Amino acid sequence: MKNIISRLLRRLHLLRFDVLTTRASTLPDRSMLEAGKLTIVESGDVKKWACMKCPGGCGEIISLSLNPNQRPRWQVSEDFWARPTIHPSIHQKNECGCHFWIKTGQITWCRGGRPSKRPKADR
């Protein structure tokens, strides 16, 4: 319900975001991930993974470990409207080379981190 209200508020220019969170109990496959959604995989209250399609348009799936005992690892928090903040930045090491931050659901590109090529069609 919050996602619907959030999207309505965005259309009315009352709420800004590029990404909203959703929840899952297992790792999603490529067909389950949608642009503009960050899926948090959790078991009970334990957050395990954060997964999303690369916002650069290459179609790659980004899977971020939320396990505090693993390296590299990320932290995800959400505000009331399900807008995620991820720390540290996300840097794709593939040909896409995207490097960006997500704060309060908004993507901020690092210098030189936005892909210059035209995005490929979603796979």
Side-chain angles (χ1 to χ4, degrees):
M1 185 65 167
K2 264 190 210 177
N3 280 348
I4 294 169
I5 294 170
S6 295
R7 291 181 191 287
L8 175 63
L9 290 173
R10 181 170 68 174
R11 283 192 179 185
L12 297 172
H13 302 286
L14 298 173
L15 191 65
R16 293 186 62 193
F17 63 87
D18 299 312
V19 180
L20 290 178
T21 57
T22 60
R23 297 264 191 285
S25 58
T26 59
L27 277 171
D29 64 17
R30 182 177 298 280
S31 66
M32 295 172 61
L33 291 173
E34 298 176 38
K37 290 193 178 178
L38 175 77
T39 301
I40 296 176
V41 180
E42 58 188 5
S43 177
D45 290 336
V46 178
K47 294 178 183 176
K48 296 181 175 184
W49 294 94
C51 304
M52 65 184 294
K53 281 192 175 181
C54 179
C58 68
E60 290 295 317
I61 302 303
I62 298 173
S63 296
L64 307 172
S65 174
L66 304 178
N67 183 338
N69 299 319
Q70 295 280 64
R71 285 187 172 232
R73 64 177 175 266
W74 287 261
Q75 295 175 333
V76 176
S77 59
E78 303 166 76
D79 68 4
F80 177 80
W81 297 108
R83 298 178 299 180
T85 295
I86 298 178
H87 183 77
S89 66
I90 301 163
H91 191 183
Q92 282 283 74
K93 300 292 185 174
N94 63 7
E95 66 185 49
C96 170
C98 286
H99 190 192
F100 57 95
W101 292 88
I102 298 178
K103 185 172 183 181
T104 332
Q106 294 183 2
I107 295 172
T108 303
W109 296 95
C110 296
R111 183 177 302 162
R114 187 174 203 143
S116 57
K117 295 180 182 177
R118 295 186 78 187
K120 295 177 186 175
D122 276 350
R123 298 176 186 176

